[in-house]
Amino acid sequence: MFGMNMHGPVPFSFEPEYAPGERRPKRRRDSNGSSDVEEHEQNTQSMTWCTCEKCVLMNTPQECYCCVSSHRARAKIAQLELAVQPVCITDHTDFEMACLTPLVLELILRSMHYVTRRSRSIQWTNRLYRVVAYRAYVLWIFENRRLGRGNRVVIPACVVSRIRQKFPEDDNEYVGFLPFDGFWVYPE
């Protein structure tokens, strides 16, 4: 069977192959038109893009993305059977448990290591908790969407902000979302 060997699935076996020098197609949440440049500059200088009122100003226009703009986050909120539904996904009753509870994050990372057959001791730092919390959010919202090489999503700024509040970096310096050349960034 294609994509499998005697040890199980072969990662990235369904990735397209390109000849040396051949351009790889890119999908982005936004277009690269010149009219968007002014809008993007405005996105990183004002908060007009945020409607949940919990976002923070991010470093790049691509990261200036509110959960209210995410149809998946809105659908997750709509699943709640409450008289008054929260506006922001970070106020969802399951968000704290799924994305901010250290025990849950530790179990997620251990299960990822179990599935990939990696066994090693883990040094838990706030950075590692953040990385796993971002992964937990994607698992929760996208319902197990496969991420990795060629599959990346932008996490809403309010979610990133809440995770950073819970697991802060000592020097308050964060990497943020880094799209790589050759990687596709899928819209929600």
Side-chain angles (χ1 to χ4, degrees):
M1 178 179 186
F2 185 69
M4 298 284 283
N5 66 19
M6 65 182 177
H7 301 291
V10 177
F12 312 118
S13 61
F14 296 103
E15 291 291 318
E17 294 181 13
Y18 299 97
E22 183 180 358
R23 285 193 166 280
R24 297 174 182 191
K26 296 179 185 177
R27 290 179 59 186
R28 304 237 182 241
R29 214 169 39 94
D30 53 354
S31 69
N32 292 329
S34 60
S35 63
D36 288 340
V37 172
E38 294 169 6
E39 179 183 326
H40 288 315
E41 287 174 0
Q42 184 180 9
N43 274 355
T44 59
Q45 296 172 0
S46 73
M47 294 292 293
T48 56
W49 49 270
C50 175
T51 51
C52 74
E53 298 181 2
K54 294 206 174 202
C55 295
V56 296
L57 207 53
M58 302 301 280
N59 293 333
T60 64
Q62 195 170 26
E63 293 173 289
C64 294
Y65 175 58
C66 182
C67 69
V68 176
S69 302
S70 165
H71 72 276
R72 292 178 192 271
R74 288 192 321 265
K76 188 65 80 172
I77 289 172
Q79 291 174 355
L80 291 174
E81 296 179 5
L82 300 173
V84 179
Q85 292 183 337
V87 175
C88 184
I89 193 67
T90 62
D91 292 330
H92 191 289
T93 53
D94 294 339
F95 176 79
E96 179 124 5
M97 180 182 59
C99 303
L100 300 177
T101 307
L103 178 62
V104 171
L105 300 178
E106 290 169 15
L107 291 172
I108 289 171
L109 186 65
R110 286 192 180 119
S111 67
M112 288 167 48
H113 282 248
Y114 178 78
V115 169
T116 60
R117 302 182 200 276
R118 294 182 196 158
S119 179
R120 59 180 172 178
S121 62
I122 300 168
Q123 180 66 31
W124 287 99
T125 62
N126 277 352
R127 181 182 182 282
L128 184 56
Y129 278 119
R130 280 194 312 277
V131 168
V132 178
Y134 299 143
R135 174 65 65 141
Y137 174 78
V138 172
L139 288 170
W140 179 56
I141 290 292
F142 288 87
E143 298 176 355
N144 300 324
R145 181 174 179 173
R146 184 178 151 218
L147 290 184
R149 182 177 174 208
N151 296 303
R152 298 178 55 94
V153 294
V154 178
I155 297 173
C158 46
V159 172
V160 172
S161 172
R162 183 66 186 96
I163 291 171
R164 287 177 179 176
Q165 286 173 4
K166 177 75 176 184
F167 306 109
E169 195 64 41
D170 292 336
D171 59 3
N172 211 25
E173 292 290 323
Y174 301 96
V175 174
F177 182 79
L178 297 174
F180 295 102
D181 190 32
F183 281 74
W184 292 9
V185 179
Y186 290 97
E188 276 199 62

